[in-house]
Amino acid sequence: MEEVELCFPQLNTSCWKTKRPLSHTVLIYMVLSFISLLTVTLNLLVIISISHFKQLHTPTNLLLLSLAVCDFFIGIIMLFQIMLIDGCWVLGDFMCALYGVFDFTMTCSSIGTMMLISADRYVAICDPMNYSIKVTPKRVGIWISLCWTCSVFLLSVLMKENLKQPGRFNSCTGECILIITFVEQITDLVLIFIIPITVIVVLYMRVFVVAVSQARAMRSHIAAVSLQCSVSAFTKKSELKAARTLGVVIVVFLFCICPFFSSTLLGQDTLLSTSSAAFFICLFYFNSCLNPIVYAFFYPWFRKSIRLIVTLQILTPGSHDASMLRDTA
């Protein structure tokens, strides 16, 4: 049976924490710490890979780089979430607010990047002839910058009261809680969940329909005689494979994020607290660990880059010019 005790026994205003058997606590800490460490490590490998090797500086990979940066910081944030398992926050009100800032910014930027990835695949599959014209590294960089800028702007609007005076909504010492009004909650739900998820689903449904159509055309050699689809079979196969891989990333992302945002539909005013939605938050964070694992399964260039990084071959002169995409179709 679970017992409770004060987070700070010397303070009468201290919050209560749940005391579990030592074996349970150690197991939880070990599992979550391992996931956090794995998330940080794998996404750091993605960041180094795409940043270091010039051949990987493609529009799609720049989007993956932005997503990896979000996932990297979410892996770090997860370490702070571990502290909330027992219901006690020991780092003070300022660090609680800072934790909320990073959590909100990375969450919003991650969702925005997923929406950009869906748009990228939509253009690549549905309008391949004009893809290289419409989607350039420079344009992708601008959209990524806008995505992060909008995340910071939404943060300043939705969490302004929490940032003015950190800890103002805490009911006891040792609590980390951020509260938004009903209007702000609806705005958050619409702008950060409903609209992006709708766009992602609609775009990928269109991509799926066109991809299936193109795959059938390739098998029957119809695409070879079609003027509109005169792109080489290799290019088509590469684009379809990229769409399939990123489709897996999107599906995993939706599976992990939907429960978290669905909990806000219950009418709670609390966005983040020491006890509510702990499982959903951890599930959302776990998605950041799964993304690079998906890359490792589907992207030969990522496996090759890992070998070069681990063996320190990236430190040799001219390593950034190494061929990473050969035989990866």
Side-chain angles (χ1 to χ4, degrees):
M1 182 177 180
E2 293 184 346
E3 301 177 355
V4 293
E5 63 180 28
L6 292 174
C7 297
F8 302 95
Q10 69 276 17
L11 298 178
N12 294 330
T13 59
S14 174
C15 298
W16 294 89
K17 72 174 181 178
T18 301
K19 185 175 177 61
R20 300 181 179 86
L22 180 61
S23 58
H24 293 183
T25 302
V26 171
L27 178 62
I28 293 174
Y29 284 175
M30 287 182 62
V31 171
L32 294 182
S33 296
F34 173 76
I35 294 175
S36 176
L37 179 61
L38 187 63
T39 300
V40 170
T41 302
L42 291 178
N43 283 287
L44 184 59
L45 288 174
V46 176
I47 294 172
I48 294 175
S49 299
I50 298 177
S51 300
H52 181 76
F53 299 107
K54 288 184 177 180
Q55 201 175 37
L56 299 181
H57 294 179
T58 64
T60 300
N61 284 347
L62 291 179
L63 293 173
L64 294 182
L65 176 62
S66 175
L67 183 62
V69 171
C70 294
D71 291 340
F72 172 80
F73 283 109
I74 287 176
I76 296 177
I77 292 172
M78 194 171 182
L79 289 174
F80 294 94
Q81 180 64 31
I82 295 174
M83 300 179 185
L84 297 175
I85 293 176
D86 290 334
C88 293
W89 180 265
V90 298
L91 299 180
D93 295 334
F94 175 77
M95 287 300 296
C96 173
L98 187 62
Y99 164 63
V101 167
F102 272 96
D103 180 62
F104 186 93
T105 303
M106 295 306 114
T107 298
C108 189
S109 299
S110 178
I111 295 174
T113 302
M114 282 293 185
M115 192 162 56
L116 292 177
I117 288 175
S118 299
D120 171 76
R121 288 300 89 198
Y122 174 80
V123 177
I125 298 300
C126 300
D127 191 13
M129 296 295 293
N130 297 316
Y131 176 76
S132 60
I133 300 175
K134 293 182 177 179
V135 183
T136 63
K138 183 177 180 180
R139 289 184 179 179
V140 169
I142 293 174
W143 282 108
I144 291 175
S145 299
L146 288 175
C147 176
W148 284 76
T149 301
C150 290
S151 299
V152 175
F153 174 75
L154 285 175
L155 166 71
S156 62
V157 173
L158 297 178
M159 301 182 66
K160 57 184 178 181
E161 295 299 326
N162 295 277
L163 299 176
K164 285 181 180 178
Q165 184 180 348
R168 62 182 298 182
F169 298 112
N170 292 348
S171 60
C172 55
T173 304
E175 189 173 35
C176 178
I177 186 170
L178 303 174
I179 294 181
I180 60 177
T181 65
F182 177 76
V183 174
E184 292 171 338
Q185 185 177 359
I186 296 300
T187 303
D188 171 69
L189 189 64
V190 172
L191 295 181
I192 304 179
F193 179 66
I194 296 179
I195 293 179
I197 297 305
T198 300
V199 172
I200 290 172
V201 171
V202 170
L203 288 178
Y204 243 91
M205 285 180 63
R206 176 61 179 165
V207 167
F208 175 77
V209 171
V210 175
V212 170
S213 176
Q214 289 187 2
R216 290 174 178 173
M218 288 171 60
R219 285 195 298 267
S220 61
H221 301 287
I222 296 177
V225 296
S226 174
L227 179 61
Q228 183 179 1
C229 301
S230 59
V231 184
S232 67
F234 174 83
T235 302
K236 281 178 172 288
K237 183 179 179 181
S238 178
E239 295 294 356
L240 290 172
K241 183 177 181 181
R244 183 171 61 252
T245 301
L246 296 176
V248 174
V249 174
I250 294 291
V251 170
V252 172
F253 174 77
L254 294 177
F255 174 78
C256 293
I257 192 177
C258 283
F260 171 69
F261 277 98
S262 296
S263 64
T264 63
L265 296 175
L266 299 177
Q268 298 176 346
D269 292 331
T270 301
L271 173 65
L272 175 67
S273 68
T274 58
S275 57
S276 66
F279 173 77
F280 297 143
I281 292 174
C282 290
L283 180 62
F284 175 70
Y285 288 164
F286 184 60
N287 173 74
S288 299
C289 179
L290 295 177
N291 287 337
I293 294 178
V294 173
Y295 306 155
F297 274 106
F298 289 94
Y299 285 139
W301 62 257
F302 184 50
R303 297 193 295 271
K304 182 176 180 179
S305 65
I306 290 178
R307 290 195 298 270
L308 295 177
I309 293 172
V310 172
T311 57
L312 302 181
Q313 294 184 48
I314 63 170
L315 300 179
T316 59
S319 61
H320 55 277
D321 292 319
S323 176
M324 304 298 297
L325 303 179
R326 183 181 303 169
D327 297 328
T328 60

